[in-house]
Amino acid sequence: MAENILNSFRRHPNCITFPPAIKKKLSKTNEILAQITLAEIPLEYAEFLQLTDGLIFNGIEFFGTAKHPRRNYIFPDLKTINLPYARYSFFKNKIILGHASETLLIYDEGTKKYSISDRINLRPLKEVGNLRELLLDAIKFLNFTPEE
């Protein structure tokens, strides 16, 4: 599933992956997110993070449980990205998993759906039912079709 897509991404020179997330760090991140009334990390995304604790691919970023220092940049973690949004009722029981260009990649615990949403007005441009579809839809505009 997501592992096949991830392996396809990894063969591309513009893909950056990280060491796998540690289960203890996943649990701690979920505790923090729950304390601030955001959604916990969805199970299939947690499984994805156990393959790579974050992903950067041609301007698309999927966040993990740890910050990752890059040259002149610190790739943020899920807590850092989501904390500023916790004060808005719209984000209750939601979590921002990543972003690309002018979009946010959001999981809604209430509907059990992933969305690619406009960064300004937060309207979903597309909603999908699983992580595989989100990964594929998020990279469609890049004109890159991963092998499955």
Side-chain angles (χ1 to χ4, degrees):
M1 199 247 357
E3 186 171 6
N4 293 341
I5 296 169
L6 177 61
N7 288 334
S8 180
F9 286 163
R10 283 181 167 151
R11 289 192 291 273
H12 196 279
N14 292 333
C15 180
I16 299 169
T17 58
F18 301 99
I22 300 164
K23 286 186 181 187
K24 185 176 179 181
K25 190 88 166 151
L26 282 163
S27 295
K28 184 66 177 165
T29 300
N30 273 335
E31 283 178 33
I32 292 167
L33 293 171
Q35 286 173 357
I36 57 175
T37 71
L38 298 174
E40 292 187 4
I41 300 168
L43 182 59
E44 64 184 337
Y45 193 70
E47 291 168 357
F48 173 77
L49 293 179
Q50 289 176 61
L51 300 171
T52 179
D53 193 22
L55 170 74
I56 302 171
F57 182 79
N58 278 0
I60 297 172
E61 297 180 337
F62 283 93
F63 307 112
T65 62
K67 296 177 184 177
H68 300 286
R70 309 289 308 146
R71 186 176 34 233
N72 301 320
Y73 176 63
I74 295 179
F75 184 68
D77 61 357
L78 287 164
K79 297 184 300 228
T80 303
I81 287 299
N82 282 279
L83 195 57
Y85 295 95
R87 63 183 174 169
Y88 300 105
S89 61
F90 175 84
F91 285 96
K92 184 175 178 152
N93 298 317
K94 293 181 177 82
I95 180 175
I96 297 170
L97 301 175
H99 66 95
S101 185
E102 295 301 316
T103 61
L104 295 175
L105 308 171
I106 299 171
Y107 177 73
D108 185 330
E109 199 170 58
T111 64
K112 306 290 187 224
K113 291 194 176 194
Y114 297 85
S115 69
I116 300 170
S117 298
D118 185 278
R119 186 184 294 242
I120 305 298
N121 64 27
L122 302 175
R123 288 189 192 118
L125 304 171
K126 175 118 189 210
E127 289 184 319
V128 296
N130 60 56
L131 181 61
R132 179 186 173 282
E133 289 179 76
L134 179 69
L135 288 168
L136 292 173
D137 284 342
I139 54 94
K140 270 186 184 173
F141 73 91
L142 296 173
N143 200 20
F144 172 75
T145 306
E147 301 162 17
E148 294 191 49

